Amino acid sequence: SRPRWTYHMRARLAHPLCFFTGSEVFMLGRPNILVIAVDALRRDHLGCYGYSFETSPNIDRLAAEGTCFDSMFVNHFPTMPSFTTLYTGVDGIEHNIVRQGIGPLLSQKIQVFPELLRAAGYTTAAVDSIVTLKHGLPGHYARGYDHYLGFRYDPGDRKQSSFNTERALVLMEMIKREPFFLLVHYWDPHAPYWPPDDVPSFGKEPTSFGTPT
């Protein structure tokens, strides 16, 4: 099969599933890098991992053109400790980010990979919401970015993800002439687990899944 880049987070509800893609610039030594993070997305509900319903045609198409890794596991949860390890490659016991919300800041001695990429000549950009989880304190989640478009996750806004995709595409168009790193963070599968109105129920009544809380 052809190479496919996926980053599989083991814990199913607390962690993001991330997809890494690189462009043909890879042959020149500096590929463009796009990371799509989807908070709380369960791998066992994706067609490329054997789910029987057609829930993820676009992700499945990406998977069919690449290589899938099934044995990569997250060190910690929930989102903020998990993303800190993703950014640094450092275990939570060492980086000391072990819970959500306001807490200790990451030591300046620990670099995050957007900093490393920017030092290597990349333009770095993100459409992300983690800074809002720290009540306006950007901390290390925005460190190393040339462009950081933050947003606050609103489960009642059914158009938020489409809007953020449009913002990401504008960013990509703006930086595409340089080697770039772009992170786009989605939250659709996260609590309170209300599906958009246009999502099919796959032959089941939505109430059969229980009442979101």
Side-chain angles (χ1 to χ4, degrees):
S1 63
R2 299 178 221 172
R4 170 183 64 194
W5 299 91
T6 64
Y7 188 91
H8 162 217
M9 294 294 198
R10 184 181 183 184
R12 296 177 177 175
L13 295 179
H15 309 317
L17 195 68
C18 300
F19 302 87
F20 295 78
T21 69
S23 78
E24 65 278 2
V25 183
F26 178 78
M27 299 303 295
L28 301 178
R30 290 201 299 177
N32 293 329
I33 303 169
L34 169 65
V35 176
I36 302 172
V38 187
D39 235 76
L41 177 61
R42 291 173 54 145
R43 67 180 292 270
D44 62 349
H45 279 58
L46 296 174
C48 55
Y49 284 103
Y51 194 48
S52 58
F53 295 118
E54 190 179 350
T55 57
S56 51
N58 293 322
I59 293 174
D60 296 344
R61 186 167 63 251
L62 172 65
E65 298 174 355
T67 301
C68 180
F69 298 94
D70 290 320
S71 58
M72 298 180 70
F73 305 106
V74 71
N75 292 68
H76 299 279
F77 70 95
T79 299
M80 297 175 92
S82 182
F83 262 90
T84 301
T85 295
L86 176 68
Y87 270 125
T88 64
V90 175
D91 186 271
I93 299 301
E94 183 175 349
H95 64 56
N96 203 31
I97 309 299
V98 295
R99 66 183 181 89
Q100 293 288 88
I102 295 178
L105 298 178
L106 183 70
S107 169
Q108 292 290 335
K109 297 179 180 179
I110 301 177
Q111 288 185 295
V112 294
F113 69 77
E115 291 179 302
L116 300 175
L117 288 170
R118 188 164 66 177
Y122 277 76
T123 298
T124 54
V127 179
D128 185 27
S129 64
I130 298 185
V131 294
T132 67
L133 299 179
K134 289 188 72 67
H135 305 283
L137 299 176
H140 58 281
Y141 302 106
R143 194 196 298 174
Y145 281 109
D146 297 303
H147 310 279
Y148 189 103
L149 302 183
F151 67 93
R152 183 178 294 278
Y153 169 57
D154 179 2
D157 185 355
R158 304 295 177 84
K159 297 181 179 180
Q160 187 173 64
S161 288
S162 295
F163 175 66
N164 286 332
T165 297
E166 293 174 3
R167 298 171 84 196
L169 291 173
V170 170
L171 265 179
M172 188 179 296
E173 182 67 23
M174 184 174 66
I175 63 180
K176 68 179 183 179
R177 291 175 179 81
E178 309 165 34
F180 68 80
F181 166 75
L182 174 61
L183 167 73
V184 188
H185 190 176
Y186 295 101
W187 287 75
D188 300 67
H190 201 276
Y193 312 121
W194 284 114
D197 296 331
D198 58 347
V199 171
S201 61
F202 305 106
K204 300 179 181 180
E205 292 297 323
T207 53
S208 69
F209 295 102
T211 301
T213 57

